[in-house]
Amino acid sequence: MTQAPSMTFDDRDEFGRKKIAERIITLLNSDITVSPLVLDGSWGLGKTEFCQKLISLMKKDDTHHLVYIDAFKADHADEPLLTVLAKVIEVLPEDKKKEKLIEKALPALRYGLKVGGKALVAHVLRQDTDSIFDDFDQEVKAAADKAIDESVESLLNDHVEADKNLRTLQSALKSVAAEKPIVLFVDELDRCRPDFAVLMLETIKHTFDVEGVQFVLVTNTDQLKASINHCYGSAIDAKRYIDKFVKFSLSLPHTYDNRQHNAEVSAVTHYKNLLEKSDILCELKLDKYAHFWLAERVINENSISLREVETLIRHLEIYQILYGHEPLSNQEQWMVKLMRVLGAMMVCFKPNMAKNTVSDSLDALELATFMGVTGPLSFGNRRAPTHPEMLMFMLAQSCKYNGEKFKPSRDQRVRWDNEEQGYFQ
C-alpha cells in the first residue's frame, strides 16, 4: 500500500456503504472489463473516505497490489505517467522485477519529456517570426522552418523508439500483474487543473491498458466534463469523450436504507450524528423537535452535502462558544433558538442571502425556496402550520422584496397571529 487508509467500515458505516464497496470488489474480481471504473459523486459526498474504506476492505484478502493516488497533490508535476509509475513501483516487492520495471519505465518517461521540449522550441521559433520586421521576415522564417523540420524528423525517430519502449514497459507491467493484479485508485481528479485531469485520462488509456492493471477513478463526473470542455471547447461532447476512456460508472447515493425500508438522506443522518457527538452542542437538543425538523427540511431542499453539514456543525459550535449565554442555550426561548439555527444555515449555505438579511434587502421568495415553503400561506385543513411556514410568516413581514406573497388571507390573519404568540410563550 502506498498510503494506509485511516478508516475502515468497522470504524463506522452509518450510511450502509459497505455493501457498495463489496459490489465494487466483486466487479473488479470478475472477468468483465470494468476498468477504468468511475466512482462518481458530488462535492462533499464523502468519496475520499469511501475510497479509503474500500481499499482497507479489499486489502484484507491480499489479492491485489493496491495503489492510492491523490491526483490533486500531483498535478503540479505535469507528468501523470511519472506520478502513476512512481506509485506502482512503491508497492512492488524489493527484487529484480522492481528494478526491471524502473529500467523499462525510464525510456518512456524520457521520450515524453523530450517531445514536450522539442515541440515547445518549434512552437516558439514559429511564433517569434511573426514579430520580426518585414526586411528579415523571409530569412528568419526559412531558418525557423529548417529548425522545425529537423525537430519533426527527430520526433518521428523518437516516436518509433518510444513505441518500442512503451510496449516493453507494458510487458513488464503485465508480467508483474500476472503474479498479483494491480488496482490503482485515482482520487481528487475533479480538483485538478483541467489540462492535468485530461492528460491523466489519456495517459491511463494509452499507457496502462494492460492485462491485470485496473483503475478506479474517484471523481465528480460533472466537474470532469467541465475540465474537458475547458481544454477542448464547449463544442466537444464531454460525455462521449469520457465514454472513450471509461468502461463503467457508478454513483455514491445521497440516500441509504435505514433498515426500516425507508430511504433516508445521508446528510440528515450525518447532521444528527454530529450533533450527538459534539460536546458543545449535545445538551442543546438541536437533534430533536422543531430545530431538527427545520434543519432536515433545509438539508433536503438544498441537497446539502456531508461536507457542508460538517461546516454547519462547526459554525453552530463557534456560535455557542462565543454566545453561549445568548438565547441559543436558553431552552425557554426555543423560537429564538430556531431563528439562530436558521441564521447559521443561511451563513453556511447561502452567504449572500445572509448578507442581504443584515442589510435589510432580503427577498422573501429566496428565503422561501431555501426553506421549501410555497406561498401564499394557508392553514388549509391542518391544525397548525409547519415550522418553516411559521418562520416565513414572521420573516416575510421584514423582507424588502416579495414579502406580500406570503401574507395569509384576511380571514386567517388572526389565527396566524395567535400561532405566532404561541411560539414565543
Side-chain angles (χ1 to χ4, degrees):
M1 275 295 304
T2 61
Q3 175 176 323
S6 57
M7 299 194 69
T8 70
F9 288 109
D10 294 330
D11 295 326
R12 72 171 194 231
D13 187 24
E14 65 268 55
F15 309 130
R17 290 178 172 175
K18 184 178 180 180
K19 291 181 179 179
I20 301 174
E22 290 171 341
R23 288 166 183 160
I24 292 175
I25 293 172
T26 298
L27 285 175
L28 292 173
N29 286 331
S30 72
D31 294 330
I32 304 172
T33 302
V34 294
S35 173
L37 182 152
V38 167
L39 178 61
D40 183 27
S42 58
W43 180 87
L45 196 58
K47 298 189 296 297
T48 294
E49 181 177 315
F50 175 80
C51 178
Q52 293 181 346
K53 289 178 179 178
L54 168 59
I55 293 173
S56 291
L57 185 62
M58 201 169 181
K59 189 180 179 185
K60 290 181 179 180
D61 294 331
D62 195 26
T63 56
H64 293 73
H65 291 299
L66 303 175
V67 181
Y68 177 84
I69 299 172
D70 186 333
F72 183 60
K73 288 183 178 179
D75 80 340
H76 66 281
D78 291 325
E79 288 296 335
L81 177 58
L82 182 60
T83 298
V84 176
L85 279 175
K87 291 298 184 180
V88 170
I89 288 169
E90 282 183 22
V91 301
L92 299 182
E94 295 288 347
D95 58 16
K96 292 182 179 179
K97 288 183 179 178
K98 182 172 182 177
E99 294 177 4
K100 184 178 180 182
L101 181 58
I102 295 175
E103 179 186 341
K104 300 304 179 185
L106 288 176
L109 291 172
R110 277 198 295 268
Y111 168 72
L113 294 173
K114 189 185 294 184
V115 168
K118 288 185 177 179
L120 179 61
V121 170
H123 175 71
V124 169
L125 283 172
R126 175 66 75 187
Q127 291 301 110
D128 283 351
T129 60
D130 294 337
S131 61
I132 301 297
F133 294 110
D134 291 341
D135 291 344
F136 300 96
D137 189 50
Q138 295 304 318
E139 184 178 346
V140 174
K141 280 187 177 180
D145 287 340
K146 182 179 179 182
I148 292 171
D149 290 341
E150 290 175 356
S151 293
V152 170
E153 182 180 355
S154 179
L155 285 174
L156 288 174
N157 291 333
D158 287 341
H159 185 72
V160 172
E161 187 64 25
D163 248 5
K164 188 191 305 179
N165 291 333
L166 181 58
R167 288 195 297 271
T168 305
L169 170 60
Q170 290 172 335
S171 176
L173 281 170
K174 184 177 179 180
S175 176
V176 171
E179 294 186 8
K180 193 173 184 179
I182 303 170
V183 180
L184 298 102
F185 297 83
V186 182
D187 193 12
E188 305 282 18
L189 198 57
D190 49 325
R191 294 181 64 196
C192 296
R193 296 191 333 268
D195 57 330
F196 183 84
V198 172
L199 190 56
M200 176 67 83
L201 284 178
E202 294 175 349
T203 298
I204 290 171
K205 177 177 175 62
H206 298 301
T207 306
F208 293 97
D209 187 10
V210 176
E211 185 177 347
V213 179
Q214 295 177 291
F215 280 84
V216 177
L217 309 179
V218 184
T219 187
N220 180 336
T221 301
D222 288 338
Q223 183 57 48
L224 197 55
K225 290 176 184 176
S227 294
I228 292 167
N229 288 134
H230 177 87
C231 291
Y232 296 117
S234 57
I236 292 292
D237 188 330
K239 182 182 183 304
R240 288 190 176 183
Y241 182 89
I242 290 176
D243 288 344
K244 291 193 304 182
F245 300 94
V246 174
K247 292 293 192 298
F248 184 70
S249 179
L250 58 88
S251 301
L252 276 183
H254 287 266
T255 61
Y256 72 101
D257 189 345
N258 65 0
R259 298 183 182 179
Q260 298 176 356
H261 305 292
N262 295 320
E264 291 195 0
V265 175
S266 301
V268 173
T269 300
H270 194 42
Y271 174 71
K272 191 169 187 176
N273 290 342
L274 291 177
L275 285 174
E276 293 172 351
K277 293 176 183 177
S278 172
D279 294 334
I280 299 171
L281 303 175
C282 62
E283 299 298 324
L284 301 182
K285 298 183 180 179
L286 297 180
D287 60 331
K288 303 179 185 299
Y289 314 123
H291 309 98
F292 178 71
W293 297 335
L294 174 64
E296 181 181 33
R297 171 72 75 89
V298 169
I299 289 171
N300 286 331
E301 291 293 330
N302 297 273
S303 300
I304 300 303
S305 71
L306 301 181
R307 193 175 300 166
E308 288 172 318
V309 163
E310 292 168 3
T311 300
L312 172 60
I313 293 295
R314 184 162 59 251
H315 276 69
L316 289 171
E317 288 177 334
I318 290 171
Y319 182 90
Q320 183 61 13
I321 287 174
L322 296 178
Y323 305 102
H325 59 285
E326 296 281 337
L328 183 56
S329 59
N330 187 332
Q331 295 300 314
E332 293 181 358
Q333 299 189 49
W334 67 275
M335 184 58 201
V336 177
K337 183 167 68 173
L338 190 64
M339 289 187 174
R340 301 290 189 188
V341 172
L342 175 62
M345 290 190 291
M346 289 170 64
V347 168
C348 290
F349 309 144
K350 297 289 184 181
N352 287 335
M353 186 165 66
K355 291 178 182 178
N356 290 338
T357 303
V358 174
S359 61
D360 293 326
S361 56
L362 183 61
D363 188 328
L365 285 175
E366 186 180 9
L367 177 62
T369 300
F370 183 63
M371 294 194 295
V373 176
T374 57
L377 297 175
S378 174
F379 275 85
N381 296 323
R382 297 171 297 166
R383 295 179 58 188
T386 64
H387 299 300
E389 287 175 335
M390 200 65 230
L391 282 171
M392 274 308 305
F393 171 70
M394 299 177 192
L395 298 176
Q397 302 174 56
S398 301
C399 288
K400 183 174 182 178
Y401 306 105
N402 295 307
E404 69 282 355
K405 295 182 182 298
F406 296 91
K407 290 181 179 179
S409 59
R410 289 184 179 180
D411 60 316
Q412 291 194 1
R413 180 63 194 238
V414 173
R415 194 174 174 185
W416 280 91
D417 287 340
N418 291 337
E419 285 288 335
E420 181 180 12
Q421 293 177 14
Y423 267 65
F424 285 97
Q425 287 177 355

